[in-house]
Amino acid sequence: MRLSRYFVPTIKENPSEAAIVSHRFMLRAGMIRQSVSGIYTWLPLGLRVLTKIENIIREEQELAGASEVRMSTIQTADLWKESGRYEDYGDEMLRINDRHGRELLYGPTNEEVITDLFRKEVKSWKQLPTLLYQIQLKFRDEIRPRFGLMRGREFTMKDAYSFDIDEENSVKSYYRMFVSYLRIFNKMGIRAIPMKADTGPIGGNLSHEFLLLAETGESEVYCHKDFLEMDIPDNVDYDGDLSKYFQEWTSKYAATDEMYVEEDAKKFGDDIIKTRGIEVGHVFNFGTKYSEPLHAVVMNKEGKEIPVHMGSYGIGVSRCVAGIIEASHDDKGIIWPVAVAPFEMVVLDVKPKDEESSKVANDIYKNLKNHKLDVAIDDRNDRVGSKFADMDLIGIPLLLVVGPRGLLDGHVKLVSRKSGNSINLSVEEVQERIIKAKSEDSLQKFVDSI
Ligand code: 5CA
C-alpha cells in the first residue's frame, strides 16, 4: 500500500469528544469516524485492524470445532415473544415495523434466531454436538453510548452457540470455548482473564467474563496476580480432556465487583490485586432456557424427544480494537502488537523527491511485499517530522527509514515503535532479517529484540 494514495485522515489536535485514550487515538489516527451517536464508520486503517482480529477469531474458533454462519441482523419479534424475552429486553432493543405492520427488530443477540434454525434442521442426538458461530453487527440502544467503540450502539460481535444432548456434554462445549478464548486473546497480543460473572438478560448459571485489565475499564475487578503470568494452552487437543485448562484458569480468585465475595478472596491474601477491567468476552451455559420454550428438541438414544442443552459465547470484536489500544499505547500514540497492526511495517521514504534514495525505498518495499510482509510505504511528500509523528500515532510496530543521508553511509534505519530503539543495517541485511523473521512467524519476537 502506498500511503500517498491511501485514505489516512490523521488529526493533530485532541478531539474534544473523546474521553479515553483509545477513542482519542482511533479518531486521531484516522481509523474511525462517528456517523451518529454510538455508531461508527470504519476507515481503511481501522478496518484492517478489525479484519485481522476477526480472522484470528475465525482461525481459533474453527480449531475448536465451530462452523461459521451469518444470520440476518433484522429479526422477527415473534421468536422473542416465543422465548419470553421480547418485553424483558426493554428499551435497549431497537424495534421496527415493516410496511405490512409486522414487528421486526435489529438483533441485540441471536439466541432465538439460532435456536429456530437448529429446531428446523437438527432432529437426532446423532447430529450433536453442534457448534456454530458468526461475526456480525449487533444493535443495542444503550442509554449512554460512550468511549467510542467501547460502548457503542452498533458494534461487531462474535457470537457462538452450542447445542448438546445433556448437561455434561454442554459443559464440554463450554470448556472448548473457554480454552479457545484464552488462545484468541493471547493471539491478539492481550491478556484477558476469565472471571466469574453474572448472567444478566442472557441467563443461565455457569458464566465467565473475560476481562482485559486496564485502568480505564468500566468494571472494578479483583484478580489473583498469578493469572497475569499463567501459560496459555498450547497444542490443544480439542477432542481430549479440556477440564484441566478450565480448572487451572479458575483455581485462583478472579471476579468482577458484582460477583466479589470477600471471604473467598481473603484466602489468597495480598496476591489479589484490585484494579479495573474491560469486558472483551462473555460465555454462558444456560441449559434449556431457550430450547424449552422454543421447542428445540432432538430424539435421544431411547427414541425420546428431549430439549437440547445450550450455551452462548460472545466476543466484543470492535471493543477489542479499543481494548488493545487501552492496554498498549504511550503519549505519542498506539503501539500495536504485530498480529493486529494495520500494517506489520512501514518503509518510510524520507525524501520521495530524491530519485536515488526513493528507488531504494521502493525496491525494499516491493521485495518485502513479495515475501508476504504486510508492508506499506510512506511515500507522502510531507515534512519528515510530520511523517514520523503520524507513524508514532498510528503505531506501526516496525518502521524502516530510508533516506539519502543514511544511504551515503551505506545503511537504513530500523525503528521499533514499542521500545523506540533503532538499529542501522545495510539494505541487504535488513531485508534478510525481516524476511527470516516473517517466514518463521516470529516478527513480534524480532520487534521485541530491538
Ligand atoms: N449472546 C451472548 C453471547 S454470544 C451475549 O450477547 N453476550 S454479551 O451481552 O455479554 O455480549 C458479548 C460481548 O459483546 C461482551 O462481552 C462485550 O465485549 C461486547 N459488547 C456488549 N455490549 C457492547 C457494546 N454496547 N459495545 C461494544 N461491545 C459490546
Side-chain angles (χ1 to χ4, degrees):
M1 193 58 67
R2 298 190 166 277
L3 295 193
S4 60
R5 289 181 216 146
Y6 204 54
F7 188 63
V8 202
T10 54
I11 302 172
K12 296 226 160 36
E13 300 338 306
N14 276 331
S16 58
E17 73 263 37
I20 57 169
V21 168
S22 56
H23 191 194
R24 197 149 64 226
F25 283 149
M26 289 186 80
L27 290 170
R28 285 192 49 204
M31 294 175 64
I32 55 164
R33 289 293 182 261
Q34 180 176 295
S35 76
V36 195
S37 167
I39 303 179
Y40 291 85
T41 294
W42 289 89
L43 306 186
L45 272 184
L47 188 57
R48 277 185 156 258
V49 177
L50 186 72
T51 307
K52 287 194 178 180
I53 291 177
E54 289 179 1
N55 287 338
I56 288 174
I57 294 174
R58 286 199 173 92
E59 208 174 295
E60 288 295 327
Q61 289 280 277
E62 305 272 335
L63 270 182
S67 315
E68 186 169 8
V69 295
R70 178 97 35 105
M71 291 174 259
S72 63
T73 52
I74 304 290
Q75 309 180 1
T76 163
D78 293 348
L79 282 174
W80 287 70
K81 289 180 181 164
E82 230 183 307
S83 75
R85 277 209 294 183
Y86 192 57
E87 299 308 328
D88 294 354
Y89 222 92
D91 289 339
E92 262 194 28
M93 182 185 274
L94 181 65
R95 296 155 206 259
I96 309 160
N97 285 319
D98 72 8
R99 65 167 75 198
H100 305 292
R102 277 187 214 113
E103 291 174 292
L104 302 174
L105 57 101
Y106 196 115
T109 175
N110 281 52
E111 279 80 6
E112 282 77 2
V113 176
I114 198 96
T115 307
D116 180 49
L117 174 79
F118 180 91
R119 69 180 172 186
K120 289 172 177 155
E121 303 298 329
V122 182
K123 304 287 176 201
S124 159
W125 65 275
K126 288 181 198 154
Q127 291 159 278
L128 299 183
T130 299
L131 196 44
L132 300 170
Y133 78 100
Q134 67 169 348
I135 296 174
Q136 183 226 37
L137 288 170
K138 300 281 183 290
F139 194 91
R140 293 182 183 175
D141 204 353
E142 304 270 353
I143 197 161
R144 241 175 269 108
R146 56 186 178 152
F147 304 149
L149 295 169
M150 202 65 90
R151 182 162 294 283
R153 293 200 294 165
E154 186 188 68
F155 59 97
T156 304
M157 194 197 286
K158 186 285 299 184
D159 42 325
Y161 303 87
S162 65
F163 302 86
D164 284 280
I165 191 72
D166 55 21
E167 163 91 31
E168 191 189 334
N169 281 288
S170 78
V171 170
K172 283 188 186 159
S173 293
Y174 188 86
Y175 292 165
R176 267 177 190 252
M177 286 292 136
F178 188 95
V179 171
S180 181
Y181 274 36
L182 291 171
R183 291 175 50 83
I184 286 171
F185 294 120
N186 184 56
K187 266 201 174 173
M188 286 181 200
I190 55 179
R191 176 147 296 229
I193 296 162
M195 306 196 181
K196 259 188 254 167
D198 198 13
T199 54
I202 310 287
N205 44 29
L206 175 61
S207 178
H208 288 85
E209 281 176 4
F210 286 74
L211 281 111
L212 169 66
L213 304 186
E215 285 305 322
T216 44
E218 280 193 308
S219 331
E220 196 158 80
V221 302
Y222 298 81
C223 173
H224 196 291
K225 63 177 174 37
D226 285 2
F227 286 127
L228 302 175
E229 305 293 332
M230 206 171 263
D231 288 341
I232 301 295
D234 201 5
N235 294 322
V236 175
D237 170 13
Y238 277 102
D239 295 319
D241 176 19
L242 301 175
S243 65
K244 58 179 185 219
Y245 300 117
F246 179 78
Q247 256 126 38
E248 191 187 4
W249 276 89
T250 52
S251 59
K252 295 176 176 160
Y253 199 76
T256 59
D257 58 350
E258 289 162 347
M259 300 295 279
Y260 179 65
V261 181
E262 203 179 340
E263 288 83 77
D264 296 349
K266 255 190 197 154
K267 288 181 222 148
F268 297 98
D270 291 346
D271 287 342
I272 303 293
I273 39 181
K274 183 181 171 196
T275 176
R276 305 191 74 82
I278 299 165
E279 181 203 322
V280 284
H282 199 158
V283 293
F284 306 82
N285 179 288
F286 40 69
T288 57
K289 176 177 169 167
Y290 300 91
S291 56
E292 274 191 47
L294 290 169
H295 202 66
V297 297
V298 294
M299 217 57 104
N300 71 6
K301 275 184 188 161
E302 287 74 43
K304 195 174 150 229
E305 270 191 349
I306 53 161
V308 284
H309 287 249
M310 293 175 55
S312 75
Y313 315 88
I315 292 180
V317 183
S318 43
R319 179 180 286 184
C320 282
V321 181
I324 294 168
I325 298 173
E326 292 297 332
S328 183
H329 66 269
D330 61 16
D331 50 5
K332 290 189 232 153
I334 306 164
I335 304 174
W336 290 114
V338 170
V340 298
F343 295 102
E344 290 167 332
M345 105 176 245
V346 164
V347 177
L348 192 138
D349 184 352
V350 173
K351 235 183 175 178
K353 284 186 179 143
D354 182 306
E355 242 176 68
E356 243 173 83
S357 77
S358 193
K359 180 172 183 318
V360 176
N362 274 281
D363 287 348
I364 296 175
Y365 162 67
K366 283 179 205 151
N367 185 36
L368 292 177
K369 223 172 138 60
N370 284 340
H371 283 87
K372 302 272 179 290
L373 249 108
D374 188 18
V375 55
I377 182 163
D378 189 352
D379 55 347
R380 297 175 299 173
N381 263 321
D382 293 346
R383 279 188 314 111
V384 68
S386 121
K387 285 164 69 155
F388 273 118
D390 268 5
M391 289 309 120
D392 280 343
L393 173 64
I394 293 168
I396 304 298
L398 272 179
L399 191 64
L400 184 64
V401 185
V402 183
R405 230 185 289 160
L407 286 176
L408 264 183
D409 297 335
H411 69 246
V412 291
K413 187 157 86 171
L414 191 60
V415 191
S416 154
R417 174 66 183 88
K418 197 168 162 188
S419 66
N421 297 336
S422 62
I423 42 174
N424 288 337
L425 294 166
S426 73
V427 171
E428 290 73 34
E429 191 178 358
V430 83
Q431 296 180 77
E432 270 167 32
R433 289 180 60 174
I434 293 167
I435 291 166
K436 182 162 181 278
K438 176 71 187 176
S439 71
E440 289 169 352
D441 203 16
S442 62
L443 262 183
Q444 183 70 59
K445 250 198 216 144
F446 180 61
V447 171
D448 293 343
S449 73
I450 299 174

